[in-house]
Amino acid sequence: MRTSIPVSALTIAGSDSDGGAGIQANLKTFAAHRVHGRSAIAALTAQHIRGVIAVHATALEFLVTRGLQSGYQPGRGDIVVLDHFGAARPA
């Protein structure tokens, strides 16, 4: 019997406190398609349906050395989704 490796996707995005975009929306979409979702958060936001109130970018060094290295597993045929990656700032 052959064991299959589940399809996996890494989303690099901002966290949407309203839940309609960013990490939250990407993970919901992955789950709807039976894809195992992992995440690296590029920015935290305070927002609601009328707009963004504030953004706190993740330090670039942390995002690259910790977030991406722990979330990405080479050789698994992973899918990587970039969304709001430009918000990361140098440490």
Side-chain angles (χ1 to χ4, degrees):
M1 180 175 175
R2 185 177 158 175
T3 305
S4 64
I5 297 173
V7 175
S8 181
L10 168 66
T11 175
I12 303 167
S15 177
D16 173 9
S17 57
D18 192 44
I23 292 282
Q24 290 82 351
N26 291 347
L27 292 174
K28 284 190 253 182
T29 300
F30 296 165
H33 292 281
R34 300 175 69 184
V35 172
H36 174 73
R38 294 186 323 278
S39 62
I41 297 178
L44 301 174
T45 66
Q47 65 188 62
H48 46 62
I49 60 172
R50 290 176 285 162
V52 177
I53 299 165
V55 176
H56 177 78
T58 301
L60 187 57
E61 180 182 8
F62 178 82
L63 181 61
V64 173
T65 62
R66 299 295 184 255
L68 297 181
Q69 287 178 357
S70 63
Y72 180 69
Q73 298 171 356
R76 290 199 44 188
D78 286 338
I79 299 163
V80 177
V81 177
L82 299 175
D83 175 15
H84 204 278
F85 189 62
R89 59 178 168 74

